[in-house]
DNA sequence: ATGCCCTCCGGAGGAGGA
């Protein structure tokens, strides 16, 4: 079973490329970020024709997360319980996009689904924008709230095959920073605070791709020829719980998706799961014949 | 370097990205 995450940078611009890749690579479940549209604007037909169902969480032209899956999805969660909002309290926003406990509007940055035994989240972690910007504080609070909720999920079920996957907007190691416009002490994505926020997930989930793909970036800025110079960043991760990580049999970073016509600035990050290693009752109907 | 490129909305130029 193949699972992937991809910041697509507008699904309306990219859907042909995305569906082609899903079919070509035989992907079962894709977590998308930055779809940049509402559900009524999402190109669902292109996915349906390729055999994929969708769960979509998009509020407006910003952010937006979704899942495409060949398998049934259930227990859909739009946002997590402790997720903070951002911006100014706006009267009437409760009905439009929901608000947090402080009355701040929630953004479309987290979508959870269950596929078989797997609990999967598509996450678009706030960018942070700049050191000292209130958006960076939002980023850190958002991550801490996610960590607290994820700790609760795993406390309730330590054997839960959980994957937190998406665009984390943090380069955890110096080897993950190849873009010279990012530097410790000068920019977001590499600050000690952000790296500590990601490292705090260590007791819960681990990067399941790095042990198999030790090198390579997942994002290259469109500006300044960052891709041809290979000045990218590794900021997209599949973070798996113990039970999830134990079932991983392979992984890849689809670097070729940054080439050709109209690429996203991010590429897909992929892992393969052997359902028989999950120890549960998941049946992959694409691997096993249906018995009637 | 308040730059570069790309996408959004709206119909110009600002916001946001990382």
């Amino acid at each position: 079973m193949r699972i992937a995450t991809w910041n697509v940078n507008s699904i309306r611009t990219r859907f042909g490329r995305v569906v082609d890749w899903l079919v070509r690579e035989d992907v079962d479940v894709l977590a998308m970020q930055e779809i940049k549209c509402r559900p009524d604007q999402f190109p669902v037909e292109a996915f349906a024709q390729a055999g994929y169902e969708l769960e979509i969480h998009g509020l407006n032209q910003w952010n937006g997360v979704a899942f495409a899956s060949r398998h049934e999805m259930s227990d859909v969660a739009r946002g997590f319980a402790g997720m903070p909002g951002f911006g100014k309290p706006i009267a009437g926003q409760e009905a439009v996009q929901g608000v947090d406990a402080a009355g701040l509007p929630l953004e479309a940055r987290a979508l959870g689904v269950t596929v078989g035994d797997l609990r999967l989240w598509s996450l678009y972690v706030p960018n942070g924008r700049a050191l000292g910007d209130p958006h960076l504080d939002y980023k850190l609070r958002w991550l801490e709230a996610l960590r607290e909720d994820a700790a609760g999920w795993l406390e309730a079920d330590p054997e839960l095959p959980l994957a937190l996957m998406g665009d984390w907007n943090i380069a955890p190691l110096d080897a993950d920073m190849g873009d010279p416009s990012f530097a410790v002490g000068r920019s977001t994505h590499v600050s000690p605070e952000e790296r500590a926020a990601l490292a705090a997930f260590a007791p819960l989930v681990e990067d399941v791709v790095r042990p198999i793909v030790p090198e390579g970036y997942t994002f290259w800025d469109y500006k300044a020829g960052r891709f041809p110079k290979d000045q990218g960043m590794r900021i997209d991760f599949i973070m798996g719980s113990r039970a999830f990580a134990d079932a991983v049999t392979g992984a890849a970073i689809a670097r070729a998706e940054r080439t050709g016509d109209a690429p996203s600035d991010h590429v897909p990050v992929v892992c393969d799961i052997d359902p028989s290693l999950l120890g549960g009752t998941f049946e992959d109907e694409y691997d096993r014949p249906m018995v009637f």
Side-chain angles (χ1 to χ4, degrees):
Chain A
M1 180 173 190
R2 182 159 285 174
I3 297 170
T5 179
W6 194 357
N7 179 324
V8 297
N9 186 17
S10 173
I11 193 60
R12 284 180 289 177
T13 298
R14 215 78 61 204
F15 69 90
R17 228 188 134 117
V18 172
V19 171
D20 283 353
W21 180 79
L22 288 176
V23 171
R24 189 177 349 118
E25 295 299 326
D26 199 25
V27 175
D28 290 291
V29 183
L30 174 67
M32 288 170 271
Q33 301 86 38
E34 283 210 89
I35 63 170
K36 294 188 172 179
C37 69
R38 301 183 305 268
D40 62 287
Q41 300 171 308
F42 197 105
V44 293
E45 190 55 31
F47 286 84
Q49 288 179 0
Y52 291 88
E53 295 187 0
L54 293 159
E55 289 294 343
I56 303 163
H57 182 33
L59 296 164
N60 48 43
Q61 70 269 42
W62 307 123
N63 317 307
V65 284
F67 274 98
S69 175
R70 285 170 166 174
H71 310 274
E72 183 181 355
M73 294 178 277
S74 60
D75 300 313
V76 179
R78 290 177 167 76
F80 47 90
M83 191 176 78
F86 185 75
K88 298 175 182 174
I90 301 172
Q93 278 305 101
E94 294 88 342
V96 178
Q97 63 184 101
V99 296
D100 68 6
L104 303 183
L106 297 173
E107 299 181 317
R109 295 182 175 277
L111 179 64
V113 299
T114 295
V115 178
D117 293 326
L118 305 175
R119 184 60 177 168
L120 307 174
W121 283 86
S122 179
L123 303 169
Y124 181 41
V125 176
N127 172 293
R129 297 185 187 172
L131 298 183
D133 192 296
H135 206 263
L136 179 54
D137 178 62
Y138 169 50
K139 180 181 194 173
L140 297 172
R141 288 185 293 107
W142 197 97
L143 284 164
E144 174 57 14
L146 173 63
R147 191 197 62 77
E148 289 178 7
D149 278 13
W153 305 332
L154 288 168
E155 190 172 344
D157 180 7
E159 299 306 312
L160 177 68
L162 169 72
L164 306 179
M165 48 186 178
D167 177 358
W168 290 75
N169 270 320
I170 298 170
L173 305 174
D174 288 346
D176 301 322
M177 342 163 19
D179 185 328
S181 61
F182 288 81
V184 177
R186 271 214 329 266
S187 49
T188 59
H189 294 64
V190 295
S191 72
E193 293 79 7
E194 289 162 274
R195 286 172 163 178
L198 181 56
F201 283 79
L204 307 172
V205 290
E206 65 191 72
D207 183 343
V208 302
V209 176
R210 186 182 295 276
I212 299 167
V213 187
E215 295 185 334
Y217 306 125
T218 64
F219 158 87
W220 298 259
D221 201 308
Y222 289 122
K223 296 180 285 195
R226 294 297 183 214
F227 183 68
K229 293 185 239 178
D230 197 28
Q231 296 177 333
M233 307 268 278
R234 172 179 261 199
I235 55 178
D236 299 86
F237 301 101
I238 299 174
M239 306 288 283
S241 65
R242 184 74 265 147
F244 184 95
D246 283 348
V248 172
T249 57
I253 296 174
R255 192 177 194 280
E257 288 307 303
R258 187 62 176 78
T259 66
D261 291 335
S264 171
D265 43 2
H266 295 251
V267 296
V269 176
V270 187
C271 73
D272 290 325
I273 293 281
D274 181 346
S276 72
L277 299 178
L278 289 169
T281 57
F282 184 85
E283 292 191 19
D284 187 340
E285 66 263 36
Y286 289 88
D287 290 345
R288 304 182 193 183
M290 296 291 284
V291 177
F292 297 97

